[in-house]
Amino acid sequence: MKLKLGQEVDINKVDSTIAVAGKEGKLGKLVFSKGSVEWWPANNSVNCLTFSWEQLAKVLEKNGTPKKVPKTKSAGKSAAPAKAKTDSKA
């Protein structure tokens, strides 16, 4: 599984963290690994919300605000990882 943050990041069994901040300061952090995503609200080191990747996608789709985005050259590209290029020596 990969997450693209300007560049692809391999998601393995080891947790990775994204700090999330707003105008008023820290909102919380997302801790993600291959199996799940955890939301840790700011100032909370005991309780988090845990989502499978599928659950997170449903929450985002259900609660997001629709926005029409104009097409750009890269808009047609999929967020799926690119296939590995192989060197062919003739």
Side-chain angles (χ1 to χ4, degrees):
M1 180 172 289
K2 293 186 184 280
L3 175 65
K4 189 168 184 177
L5 300 170
Q7 64 184 17
E8 287 186 356
V9 176
D10 284 323
I11 301 173
N12 297 311
K13 293 180 182 180
V14 178
D15 291 349
S16 295
T17 303
I18 299 174
V20 181
K23 293 178 183 178
E24 303 297 320
K26 184 178 179 182
L27 296 173
K29 65 182 177 180
L30 281 171
V31 179
F32 56 94
S33 65
K34 188 175 182 178
S36 66
V37 179
E38 296 174 346
W39 172 250
W40 289 86
N43 303 317
N44 188 341
S45 61
V46 179
N47 298 308
C48 70
L49 297 171
T50 302
F51 302 90
S52 69
W53 285 100
E54 292 80 10
Q55 288 173 319
L56 179 63
K58 288 178 184 177
V59 167
L60 295 174
E61 288 172 10
K62 182 178 178 183
N63 297 296
T65 302
K67 176 181 175 183
K68 186 171 184 173
V69 180
K71 289 184 180 181
T72 62
K73 290 181 182 180
S74 63
K77 292 184 179 179
S78 171
K83 291 183 180 179
K85 294 181 182 179
T86 57
D87 292 330
S88 58
K89 296 179 182 178

